[in-house]
Amino acid sequence: MLAAGVVVVVLLVHALHRGSSAPVFYAARPALTPGALNPDVTPATIRQTICARGWTKTVRPPTSYTSSLKLVQMRGYGFSGGPADYQEDHFISLELGGAPSDRKNLWPERRPRADHVDTIENDLNAKVCSGELSLAEAQRREAEMKWTDG
């Protein structure tokens, strides 16, 4: 009987250890980060908002707000590592009309992925501003990318 108990414990420890070596999935989760839009950005206002050079600087929240929120959200996501490993990022980017300070639109995005995603967001913004993509389609693509790829 004792031998059977030892075997169960060894198998349990092995299963738990094996599970802990699995990679952590760093994509946004809809339940934690559903995204939120800036009501000032619409197809009718994109020339004065997201397509105007420097506009995002006028709406970006201060780092004092995003740095403290990042710590809270890292715990909520169960992410490991330190704050420098993440960028508190907009789920729907400011370049595509995301809500600047809404917690539903901010999440701790893993580096260096966050830096790479910035280039994709800029490309989507250029396509919206050139008329190649609708604002809604660009927002949909961004959300899909962040919910699946992180």
Side-chain angles (χ1 to χ4, degrees):
M1 184 70 148
L2 180 60
V6 170
V7 169
V8 169
V9 169
V10 168
L11 289 174
L12 181 60
V13 168
H14 176 70
L16 290 174
H17 175 69
R18 188 178 53 165
S20 68
S21 65
V24 176
F25 188 59
Y26 289 107
R29 296 182 204 141
L32 296 174
T33 310
L37 300 177
N38 182 340
D40 294 336
V41 179
T42 67
T45 64
I46 62 172
R47 296 284 163 234
Q48 297 79 36
T49 57
I50 66 169
C51 297
R53 187 171 180 85
W55 178 80
T56 60
K57 290 179 184 172
T58 69
V59 297
R60 188 171 306 283
T63 56
S64 58
Y65 173 72
T66 57
S67 294
S68 60
L69 180 58
K70 176 173 41 174
L71 296 174
V72 170
Q73 290 181 329
M74 284 175 62
R75 285 192 301 273
Y77 267 89
F79 287 165
S80 60
D85 297 326
Y86 301 86
Q87 173 182 318
E88 186 68 8
D89 206 6
H90 290 90
F91 179 75
I92 299 297
S93 63
L94 298 179
E95 293 84 357
L96 294 176
S101 300
D102 192 322
R103 289 172 177 245
K104 294 181 288 188
N105 196 48
L106 287 157
W107 73 296
E109 190 171 22
R110 184 82 175 174
R111 293 184 189 275
R113 175 72 179 152
D115 301 319
H116 172 69
V117 167
D118 287 345
T119 61
I120 297 169
E121 294 167 350
N122 291 335
D123 183 55
L124 288 170
N125 171 271
K127 288 180 178 181
V128 169
C129 294
S130 72
E132 185 179 337
L133 273 181
S134 71
L135 178 60
E137 176 60 16
Q139 291 167 341
R140 185 198 65 75
R141 288 183 185 185
E142 183 176 31
E144 184 178 293
M145 171 186 62
K146 289 184 179 178
W147 280 329
T148 57
D149 298 335

